């Protein structure tokens, strides 16, 4: 069984605090947008975007983890502007459903795209750290901030991501029980199988955490989310997640849910003709999943 404490160390949880520096609020079409600036321990500014209903009180919340896609300029803007892989921006839709949603720029993305992924990854690996670890550590700090908001019910926080954000969504949920449920798209597969097929090289260097596969497989990490609800959305035409690698991970994740007596809390939406993108049916599945999880709040 995976050692959660060891995974927390690999994911650098607790090592990348964020301090709020400023916050400005504006009105959009039926919802509120907050523009937040955080600061890291090293003094780097980190942009955060929040979408919320105008009258949020003890509302459910979503930690939104943005994607990669080689589009380094997007970052947290994905929440409001979307990206080609998405049907449309999710921020307005989640606000209409009553959610307070937070997205932050991860290192090398959005307003932090002043250093390349390769440059920062190599520097961190030389230091015995990883870019994935910094990203996850900062997301954990973002979760701290989100859970502490007076208008958020800290018992009802979910996580969502597509592609890079998907992996980080269930990795963070695996080691942080404050995430009550997680829905993710287009980045779930067994890494060992990806290496055997060469498909691992389609993923960015940011994802490389030295020794991670000695601690747990990806399917086992996703299984640590159990018994909390998890929605996995996959397209079989996605070259980053070949079906054979997905199948191996699914056996392991399903076994963890079965062992916890929670098989009914693991949902799979799989489309044979979809690639590395969100389909209309996936969007429907995600919104229904979050509505169902937090309907009784």
């Amino acid at each position: 069984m995976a050692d959660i404490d060891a995974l927390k160390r690999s994911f650098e949880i607790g090592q990348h605090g964020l301090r709020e520096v400023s916050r400005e609020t504006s009105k959009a079409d039926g919802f509120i947008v907050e523009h937040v600036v955080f600061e890291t321990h090293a003094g780097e500014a980190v942009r955060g975007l929040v979408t919320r209903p105008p009258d949020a009180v003890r509302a459910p919340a979503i930690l939104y983890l943005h994607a990669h896609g080689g589009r380094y300029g997007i970052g947290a803007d994905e929440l409001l502007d979307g990206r080609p892989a998405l049907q449309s921006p999710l921020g307005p839709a989640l606000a209409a459903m009553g959610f307070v949603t937070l997205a932050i720029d991860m290192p090398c993305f959005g307003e932090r795209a002043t250093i390349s992924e390769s440059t920062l990854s190599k520097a961190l690996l030389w230091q015995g750290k990883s870019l994935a670890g910094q990203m996850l550590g900062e997301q954990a700090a973002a979760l701290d901030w989100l859970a502490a908001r007076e208008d958020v019910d800290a018992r009802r926080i979910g996580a969502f991501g597509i592609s890079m954000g998907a992996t980080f969504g269930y990795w963070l949920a695996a080691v942080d029980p404050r995430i009550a449920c997680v829905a993710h798209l287009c980045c779930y597969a067994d890494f060992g199988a990806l290496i055997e097929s060469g498909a691992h090289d389609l993923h960015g260097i940011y994802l490389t955490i030295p020794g991670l596969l000695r601690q747990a497989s990806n399917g086992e990490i996703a299984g640590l989310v159990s018994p909390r609800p998890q929605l996995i959305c996959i397209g079989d035409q996605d070259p980053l997640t070949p079906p054979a690698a997905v199948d191996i991970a699914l056996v392991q994740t399903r076994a963890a849910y079965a062992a916890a007596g929670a098989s009914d809390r693991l949902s799979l939406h799989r489309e044979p003709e979809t690639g590395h993108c969100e389909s209309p049916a996936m969007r429907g599945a995600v919104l229904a999943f979050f509505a169902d999880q937090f309907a009784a709040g």
Side-chain angles (χ1 to χ4, degrees):
M1 183 174 179
D3 183 334
I4 292 180
D5 288 335
L7 286 174
K8 285 183 177 180
R9 290 191 293 272
S10 291
F11 294 167
E12 301 180 26
I13 306 301
Q15 300 180 39
H16 297 279
L18 296 175
R19 179 179 67 89
E20 180 183 339
V21 175
S22 66
R23 191 187 321 185
E24 296 181 358
T25 301
S26 61
K27 293 182 179 180
D29 186 14
F31 63 99
I32 302 298
V33 179
E34 295 179 11
H35 300 263
V36 187
V37 177
F38 300 99
E39 188 176 75
T40 69
H41 291 321
E44 181 185 6
V46 176
R47 176 183 59 160
L49 293 176
V50 173
T51 55
R52 62 174 174 84
D55 54 352
V57 178
R58 303 297 292 171
I62 303 294
L63 179 65
Y64 187 109
L65 301 97
H66 70 73
H68 186 304
R71 296 175 179 265
Y72 297 97
I74 296 178
D77 282 334
E78 181 182 313
L79 183 66
L80 288 171
D81 299 335
R83 66 169 53 240
L86 288 170
Q87 290 292 309
S88 61
L90 265 163
L94 291 169
M97 293 172 62
F99 290 95
V100 176
T101 304
L102 167 67
I104 65 169
D105 280 338
M106 291 193 236
C108 307
F109 290 88
E111 293 184 357
R112 304 173 76 184
T114 55
I115 184 172
S116 75
E117 174 187 346
S118 175
T119 298
L120 185 53
S121 292
K122 291 173 182 177
L124 290 170
L125 289 169
W126 273 99
Q127 297 168 26
K129 301 177 181 180
S130 70
L131 183 50
Q134 181 177 344
M135 290 172 164
L136 282 160
E138 290 181 356
Q139 291 291 348
L143 179 59
D144 292 340
W145 183 86
L146 183 61
R149 287 178 61 109
E150 292 184 355
D151 58 355
V152 166
D153 182 350
R155 301 166 302 172
R156 297 190 293 153
I157 299 178
F160 170 82
I162 180 172
S163 194
M164 175 174 73
T167 301
F168 290 155
Y170 59 84
W171 279 8
L172 185 58
V175 299
D176 196 324
R178 292 178 299 173
I179 296 178
C181 61
V182 58
H184 52 91
L185 284 62
C186 306
C187 213
Y188 170 87
D190 179 75
F191 288 167
L194 292 184
I195 292 170
E196 290 181 5
S197 68
H200 70 293
D201 202 29
L202 299 175
H203 295 264
I205 191 174
Y206 77 91
L207 196 56
T208 303
I209 297 180
L212 182 62
L213 295 188
R214 292 198 299 268
Q215 297 179 41
S217 67
N218 205 34
E220 289 170 336
I221 294 173
L224 292 173
V225 179
S226 68
R228 290 164 288 153
Q230 179 172 185
L231 170 64
I232 302 170
C233 295
I234 286 291
D236 283 342
Q237 299 304 311
D238 186 346
L240 278 73
T241 58
V246 172
D247 291 340
I248 292 171
L250 276 173
V251 169
Q252 297 167 341
T253 304
R254 282 171 169 162
Y257 273 81
S263 293
D264 60 334
R265 297 180 187 176
L266 178 64
S267 303
L268 174 66
H269 181 94
R270 190 168 186 173
E271 299 184 10
E273 301 303 324
T274 297
H276 194 73
C277 62
E278 178 193 41
S279 70
M282 287 181 185
R283 170 61 61 93
V286 167
L287 297 183
F289 174 79
F290 285 130
D292 183 60
Q293 301 312 316
F294 298 121

